[in-house]
Amino acid sequence: MVGQRLVKLLSHHEYFELAVVAASPSSAGKKYREAAHWYIEGSMPEKAAELRVVETTVEAVKREGGVDVAFSALPADVALKVEAEFAKEGVPVVSDASSYRMEPDVPILVAEVNPEHLGVVKLQSKRGWKSFIVTNPNCTTTVLVMALKPIIDEFGVKKVLVSTMQAVSGAGWSGVPSMAILDNVIPYIAKEEEKVQAESLKILGTFTGDSIKPAEFKVSASCHRVHVLDGHTEAVFVELKRGASAQEVAEVLRKFKGKPQELKLPTAPPQPIVVKDEPDRPQPRFDRYEGGGMAVVVGRIREDPALDNGIKFVVLGHNTIRGAAGNAVLNAELMVKEGVI
Amino acid sequence: MVGQRLVKLLSHHEYFELAVVAASPSSAGKKYREAAHWYIEGSMPEKAAELRVVETTVEAVKREGGVDVAFSALPADVALKVEAEFAKEGVPVVSDASSYRMEPDVPILVAEVNPEHLGVVKLQSKRGWKSFIVTNPNCTTTVLVMALKPIIDEFGVKKVLVSTMQAVSGAGWSGVPSMAILDNVIPYIAKEEEKVQAESLKILGTFTGDSIKPAEFKVSASCHRVHVLDGHTEAVFVELKRGASAQEVAEVLRKFKGKPQELKLPTAPPQPIVVKDEPDRPQPRFDRYEGGGMAVVVGRIREDPALDNGIKFVVLGHNTIRGAAGNAVLNAELMVKEGVI
Amino acid sequence: MVGQRLVKLLSHHEYFELAVVAASPSSAGKKYREAAHWYIEGSMPEKAAELRVVETTVEAVKREGGVDVAFSALPADVALKVEAEFAKEGVPVVSDASSYRMEPDVPILVAEVNPEHLGVVKLQSKRGWKSFIVTNPNCTTTVLVMALKPIIDEFGVKKVLVSTMQAVSGAGWSGVPSMAILDNVIPYIAKEEEKVQAESLKILGTFTGDSIKPAEFKVSASCHRVHVLDGHTEAVFVELKRGASAQEVAEVLRKFKGKPQELKLPTAPPQPIVVKDEPDRPQPRFDRYEGGGMAVVVGRIREDPALDNGIKFVVLGHNTIRGAAGNAVLNAELMVKEGVI
Amino acid sequence: MVGQRLVKLLSHHEYFELAVVAASPSSAGKKYREAAHWYIEGSMPEKAAELRVVETTVEAVKREGGVDVAFSALPADVALKVEAEFAKEGVPVVSDASSYRMEPDVPILVAEVNPEHLGVVKLQSKRGWKSFIVTNPNCTTTVLVMALKPIIDEFGVKKVLVSTMQAVSGAGWSGVPSMAILDNVIPYIAKEEEKVQAESLKILGTFTGDSIKPAEFKVSASCHRVHVLDGHTEAVFVELKRGASAQEVAEVLRKFKGKPQELKLPTAPPQPIVVKDEPDRPQPRFDRYEGGGMAVVVGRIREDPALDNGIKFVVLGHNTIRGAAGNAVLNAELMVKEGVI
């Protein structure tokens, strides 16, 4: 799903040209049109359809003329090896895989949240790599940290508890059988809670110049799969350092802009956080395409009676756009503008 | 939905005989067979089918020969008036409506959790009533307090945060249009969070002999509707007074028995709390009928990294059985055994 | 649902300007923004949002400055009275209601299929009306007759048997409770089969100059509701007069163009019938927006072993666009170009 | 899914004792409890849970003490080889696989419909087999032929056109991804239509003593997957030889009994065909468990305006019980009573 979103986003891009499509050996050699069963809205972009799929190796990609930047939506175990090869050979990698996220010299980048973490990539030269890897967070984490960032900056945060209702597309096309989820909730997604807890602290941490110091608040996640195609909905409970009313929080979220908005990056949503006043929003089917799927949508902001200086709200984001492919493209756009690639 | 569950549960009951069915004027006069579109599994019990529906008034019920106890699944506004009339005229009312729940002289009863609160009904005589009203909690609350009770008794609880994924049957047959929930989550259920927060403190409070002193921990709820027919799933985060491992909590939940089990009440589940060890349970489609729909099912018990002495888990219960009709019938059974009716 | 689709289609239209929005007395007086809960993709068009809703009477509409043509998505009983009033007072009505469809002087118009039937409206002057009513077919019928038209023209048709799998939006926002359709099929839609059977013969009949002679083939429908938001899928079995291979039928469908394509009407899909070669298409989620929701999509064309000169295929169309609002707008566009309004 | 249904049906059976469970090498050696992820309602039968799974070979099964009859729910390619080995070695096979269905010496057995076809198994001795194979039809076919049998016997049938709405369980646990079917219909199931068309003629054909002469009416199927867990719904159009009213057809279906009812076989539903009078039944969620999932449910019987002497109706059956495991068990029961095993 993420690979197809990447193809779609890169097919008519202001900065990038989709030059090579690489996939597993079983697809290599075919045209992308034949290799891929197109799953997302709209038809397969014509130019991409005509590309010949190559194997996922530096050599194969070079034979097609090479690339200036590689976008990776590889499975974690494959990514571990392949992404390192690309970085070593001088091809910067913008990755949606989890393999390198928690490495100290690799940033987990959300362009509105921690653009300064990009600086840490210089440390990767110590690995003997000519270039570097930049990663996306896990999709659930991206949505969460987008909403937390302005709150942390304005009020400070001590504790975050988040309970998710995640879409089936997060598990890939065949990840969740209809027999498993029809008339059901699956209250478990392997490794998801650990990722949310660790990644959010790193992303919201401080880049000291030679390392990233994780943020010091506490995070707990409970992750659940629900019967929705796209869009992760997250119920968030936050203990603030400094008390705030629901209205103050809404205002801070509404006025938030990040570097992508400042730099007018092509994939940046005009409003990174859309705040809804209706009592029953955000809803995945109606709100997941806000900002072209790149905004997160917050609603139901209210004071929390259980936490000290507590606030609770619901946040929604499109898991394969903002939570994956779109975030990668936005990161790459930032890297272009910052002169890193 | 709740009315039909009541009819089903009372149709072949050891203590009770379904004597009269009362409904709105539009149904009055018809046989139950014609008046009700039977929505739940199995067919309409034959004897109930033959009953003639009467209007929901004391007089109409008396004309049919009267009843020893009235089960009410009336809308809140109707219940407010009708339940009082029955109680006044000497008919004890076991109610699923919310109208009287928060009245100081009315218990919200979950037979395993607070059977001693039954004592408060004697105060209702001050209203000039010959009999009294006993209420059910809101369905979400019932499921929650069942799981909390043994934890509170063993470890003490300071804070509870709960995020729910609730079934559409909770809103009644026509409550949630398919257009609203297909491929969607609705992160709002009117008045639900307020009910959960207030009712759980009352239920878990202390009956002092002439009033119910609410429990002193803090509760926060975030309530969401998901695409499931029956079974409310709740992600619960708890701050304990005394620290406990996940295993200790599991054990305490597993060995819990209440008064209904002790008294062997006919509708009591043998195991009021079923604890699942599989990492991906409870799931509504597979677990909602545990204990005939009268048990709650707990899984994913784990330590919580954000709260002090924190524990988190997922609990599931059948919202129209344990959360409504079944709880009412169990309450009535307790009342019979205790000699209250 | 149909009303909102009309608002959307008319909000930025080349020929029409949305001048007045009329609704039931409960909405009258409010801004459209407040009166309507916007249910369809994208946001409510800004200009429509600012319109003040009036009551559905000729007088109320005149007070707002009047209109040159009225689009009606009224309930059948209301339409019966109100549409006649508009037509009588000189306002042509383009209607999605069923009330006048089977009247001998009223055309059921599908612009690609029977544009010449527009001629019958002149007979309505005998009713003492200054203007006239033109109707849409039932949504299921529209999809069916689109696919049948080129087949009838090329090969002739003796019998049509159609089994439908219809979307819940066809019943309106609240028409199908989630409790009714989740994990279910409802094999019945009131009056639907009768409509399909009668309307398709009228639409595919011949306008003789002073009446419409119904087509002479036989039609049988079996209509079923399935768990889909938008898009009616229809399995069609056809006995041809002159035998044809699946390939010949595919070709005839593919090359079909109607008057809207010839006249380049703004809402006309470039290709009114899209033929899919993939073995598992059309599918509502992936194909309902072909031609902006105005094309029908045909697939699985194969020879039929049970009927003489038999052909079977599957056809899909968007029920609230091609099957309702879009068809009405296209009809009105045709009427403008033909000088009828 | 079918294997688990078999385990369930055989675990407390009057004639059979579940002696050995065989599966693929990856499961062999484990206890059934560990090997199988139990997917169906209720818990795994305790005795089955304790069985040690063996490989699917005659030798492995013999090492466990052997069996008197083997029930097979193997994939078609595996069944082709394995079932022959069992039959050759003297173990009668009751199979749900498609591999041998169309072999001239193998019956496709539906105990109410063609019990006399059992006679054809004697021809299998010519293969050099000590025992024989008896097969189930494809699930869609079983449901169809049950409803057709009494109609053929009473009125004669010339043509049958059937359009199906099939449950996802028919494709196995992982067969239909939720991404594929949520908010969708898939109008294609590989090889299904061919199976329905060929198998129904064989089943409804005549056993001449040394072969099965296929029935002579014509059949056409259009098969579609819908968003339902269990229960295939089929819209059937029938051209009768002798005209009949809907009422007459209903009566004939209602009074139908087959050999299993006559012999009072343990798995036989008391009423093999349940006829519903409500206008909107049968519905899979409400009717699939009629007769313990062994009855088919017919509704909406009405005259058909397109076919000569036409009748149309809707029939529903539980695809993994009546359409698979239950049919196999019933077949085996018949074989026991007939002295064949």
Side-chain angles (χ1 to χ4, degrees), chain B residues 131-149:
Chain B
S131 193
F132 56 84
I133 297 171
V134 163
T135 66
N136 264 348
N138 161 287
C139 48
T140 307
T141 309
T142 311
V143 175
L144 178 65
V145 296
M146 292 274 292
L148 289 180
K149 172 65 176 170

mmCIF file of all heavy atoms in Angstrom, chain B residues 131-149:
data_model
loop_
_atom_site.group_PDB
_atom_site.id
_atom_site.type_symbol
_atom_site.label_atom_id
_atom_site.label_comp_id
_atom_site.label_asym_id
_atom_site.label_seq_id
_atom_site.Cartn_x
_atom_site.Cartn_y
_atom_site.Cartn_z
ATOM 1 N N SER B 131 -43.104 0.627 46.985
ATOM 2 C CA SER B 131 -41.994 -0.230 46.602
ATOM 3 C C SER B 131 -40.815 0.652 46.156
ATOM 4 O O SER B 131 -40.705 1.784 46.643
ATOM 5 C CB SER B 131 -42.430 -1.230 45.528
ATOM 6 O OG SER B 131 -41.436 -2.227 45.387
ATOM 7 N N PHE B 132 -39.994 0.192 45.245
ATOM 8 C CA PHE B 132 -38.742 0.929 44.976
ATOM 9 C C PHE B 132 -38.206 0.611 43.574
ATOM 10 O O PHE B 132 -38.685 -0.284 42.886
ATOM 11 C CB PHE B 132 -37.692 0.555 46.019
ATOM 12 C CG PHE B 132 -37.450 -0.924 46.079
ATOM 13 C CD1 PHE B 132 -36.559 -1.533 45.183
ATOM 14 C CD2 PHE B 132 -38.140 -1.732 46.986
ATOM 15 C CE1 PHE B 132 -36.356 -2.903 45.224
ATOM 16 C CE2 PHE B 132 -37.943 -3.106 47.010
ATOM 17 C CZ PHE B 132 -37.044 -3.692 46.131
ATOM 18 N N ILE B 133 -37.196 1.385 43.223
ATOM 19 C CA ILE B 133 -36.511 1.208 41.930
ATOM 20 C C ILE B 133 -35.065 0.798 42.172
ATOM 21 O O ILE B 133 -34.397 1.381 43.033
ATOM 22 C CB ILE B 133 -36.528 2.519 41.122
ATOM 23 C CG1 ILE B 133 -37.977 2.931 40.776
ATOM 24 C CG2 ILE B 133 -35.702 2.389 39.846
ATOM 25 C CD1 ILE B 133 -38.091 4.321 40.161
ATOM 26 N N VAL B 134 -34.618 -0.188 41.429
ATOM 27 C CA VAL B 134 -33.197 -0.558 41.405
ATOM 28 C C VAL B 134 -32.743 -0.380 39.966
ATOM 29 O O VAL B 134 -33.449 -0.786 39.045
ATOM 30 C CB VAL B 134 -33.011 -2.025 41.849
ATOM 31 C CG1 VAL B 134 -31.643 -2.558 41.458
ATOM 32 C CG2 VAL B 134 -33.222 -2.138 43.348
ATOM 33 N N THR B 135 -31.583 0.216 39.742
ATOM 34 C CA THR B 135 -31.155 0.459 38.358
ATOM 35 C C THR B 135 -29.921 -0.343 37.974
ATOM 36 O O THR B 135 -29.137 -0.782 38.821
ATOM 37 C CB THR B 135 -30.839 1.948 38.115
ATOM 38 O OG1 THR B 135 -29.698 2.301 38.898
ATOM 39 C CG2 THR B 135 -32.011 2.844 38.458
ATOM 40 N N ASN B 136 -29.812 -0.522 36.689
ATOM 41 C CA ASN B 136 -28.598 -1.010 36.017
ATOM 42 C C ASN B 136 -27.681 0.168 35.725
ATOM 43 O O ASN B 136 -28.190 1.252 35.456
ATOM 44 C CB ASN B 136 -28.984 -1.514 34.610
ATOM 45 C CG ASN B 136 -29.216 -2.980 34.552
ATOM 46 O OD1 ASN B 136 -28.899 -3.705 35.474
ATOM 47 N ND2 ASN B 136 -29.782 -3.414 33.439
ATOM 48 N N PRO B 137 -26.383 -0.041 35.659
ATOM 49 C CA PRO B 137 -25.532 1.019 35.114
ATOM 50 C C PRO B 137 -25.721 1.085 33.591
ATOM 51 O O PRO B 137 -26.288 0.176 32.983
ATOM 52 C CB PRO B 137 -24.100 0.547 35.413
ATOM 53 C CG PRO B 137 -24.220 -0.667 36.259
ATOM 54 C CD PRO B 137 -25.609 -1.209 36.071
ATOM 55 N N ASN B 138 -25.222 2.140 33.025
ATOM 56 C CA ASN B 138 -24.958 2.213 31.596
ATOM 57 C C ASN B 138 -24.091 1.010 31.220
ATOM 58 O O ASN B 138 -23.251 0.573 32.005
ATOM 59 C CB ASN B 138 -24.217 3.545 31.372
ATOM 60 C CG ASN B 138 -23.476 3.616 30.088
ATOM 61 O OD1 ASN B 138 -22.438 2.963 29.948
ATOM 62 N ND2 ASN B 138 -23.987 4.378 29.155
ATOM 63 N N CYS B 139 -24.276 0.457 30.026
ATOM 64 C CA CYS B 139 -23.603 -0.799 29.642
ATOM 65 C C CYS B 139 -22.076 -0.714 29.705
ATOM 66 O O CYS B 139 -21.405 -1.669 30.104
ATOM 67 C CB CYS B 139 -24.039 -1.233 28.243
ATOM 68 S SG CYS B 139 -23.969 0.085 27.019
ATOM 69 N N THR B 140 -21.534 0.424 29.319
ATOM 70 C CA THR B 140 -20.080 0.588 29.324
ATOM 71 C C THR B 140 -19.544 0.537 30.747
ATOM 72 O O THR B 140 -18.479 -0.025 31.017
ATOM 73 C CB THR B 140 -19.713 1.936 28.685
ATOM 74 O OG1 THR B 140 -20.343 2.001 27.411
ATOM 75 C CG2 THR B 140 -18.219 2.085 28.526
ATOM 76 N N THR B 141 -20.297 1.133 31.637
ATOM 77 C CA THR B 141 -19.904 1.181 33.039
ATOM 78 C C THR B 141 -19.914 -0.212 33.667
ATOM 79 O O THR B 141 -19.001 -0.570 34.421
ATOM 80 C CB THR B 141 -20.893 2.086 33.823
ATOM 81 O OG1 THR B 141 -21.006 3.329 33.143
ATOM 82 C CG2 THR B 141 -20.417 2.299 35.237
ATOM 83 N N THR B 142 -20.942 -0.996 33.364
ATOM 84 C CA THR B 142 -21.035 -2.339 33.941
ATOM 85 C C THR B 142 -19.778 -3.146 33.638
ATOM 86 O O THR B 142 -19.192 -3.780 34.517
ATOM 87 C CB THR B 142 -22.245 -3.098 33.347
ATOM 88 O OG1 THR B 142 -23.388 -2.262 33.419
ATOM 89 C CG2 THR B 142 -22.497 -4.398 34.091
ATOM 90 N N VAL B 143 -19.396 -3.113 32.380
ATOM 91 C CA VAL B 143 -18.215 -3.876 31.962
ATOM 92 C C VAL B 143 -16.976 -3.384 32.706
ATOM 93 O O VAL B 143 -16.160 -4.172 33.193
ATOM 94 C CB VAL B 143 -18.037 -3.751 30.427
ATOM 95 C CG1 VAL B 143 -16.755 -4.432 29.972
ATOM 96 C CG2 VAL B 143 -19.258 -4.330 29.699
ATOM 97 N N LEU B 144 -16.870 -2.079 32.821
ATOM 98 C CA LEU B 144 -15.701 -1.496 33.481
ATOM 99 C C LEU B 144 -15.634 -1.846 34.967
ATOM 100 O O LEU B 144 -14.596 -2.290 35.463
ATOM 101 C CB LEU B 144 -15.726 0.031 33.303
ATOM 102 C CG LEU B 144 -14.593 0.810 33.972
ATOM 103 C CD1 LEU B 144 -13.247 0.450 33.347
ATOM 104 C CD2 LEU B 144 -14.831 2.319 33.873
ATOM 105 N N VAL B 145 -16.740 -1.658 35.674
ATOM 106 C CA VAL B 145 -16.689 -1.856 37.134
ATOM 107 C C VAL B 145 -16.484 -3.333 37.496
ATOM 108 O O VAL B 145 -15.883 -3.633 38.525
ATOM 109 C CB VAL B 145 -17.919 -1.280 37.868
ATOM 110 C CG1 VAL B 145 -17.971 0.246 37.701
ATOM 111 C CG2 VAL B 145 -19.211 -1.944 37.441
ATOM 112 N N MET B 146 -16.975 -4.235 36.657
ATOM 113 C CA MET B 146 -16.724 -5.664 36.891
ATOM 114 C C MET B 146 -15.214 -5.917 36.951
ATOM 115 O O MET B 146 -14.724 -6.599 37.843
ATOM 116 C CB MET B 146 -17.308 -6.504 35.751
ATOM 117 C CG MET B 146 -18.813 -6.533 35.659
ATOM 118 S SD MET B 146 -19.572 -7.808 36.690
ATOM 119 C CE MET B 146 -19.021 -9.294 35.829
ATOM 120 N N ALA B 147 -14.490 -5.349 35.987
ATOM 121 C CA ALA B 147 -13.043 -5.580 35.958
ATOM 122 C C ALA B 147 -12.314 -4.831 37.061
ATOM 123 O O ALA B 147 -11.288 -5.286 37.569
ATOM 124 C CB ALA B 147 -12.495 -5.177 34.580
ATOM 125 N N LEU B 148 -12.847 -3.673 37.446
ATOM 126 C CA LEU B 148 -12.145 -2.866 38.453
ATOM 127 C C LEU B 148 -12.318 -3.411 39.872
ATOM 128 O O LEU B 148 -11.427 -3.280 40.708
ATOM 129 C CB LEU B 148 -12.648 -1.420 38.424
ATOM 130 C CG LEU B 148 -12.244 -0.576 37.206
ATOM 131 C CD1 LEU B 148 -12.827 0.830 37.349
ATOM 132 C CD2 LEU B 148 -10.718 -0.503 37.061
ATOM 133 N N LYS B 149 -13.477 -3.994 40.133
ATOM 134 C CA LYS B 149 -13.820 -4.390 41.510
ATOM 135 C C LYS B 149 -12.700 -5.194 42.203
ATOM 136 O O LYS B 149 -12.202 -4.774 43.263
ATOM 137 C CB LYS B 149 -15.144 -5.157 41.492
ATOM 138 C CG LYS B 149 -15.529 -5.800 42.816
ATOM 139 C CD LYS B 149 -15.798 -4.771 43.905
ATOM 140 C CE LYS B 149 -16.272 -5.464 45.182
ATOM 141 N NZ LYS B 149 -16.306 -4.522 46.319
#
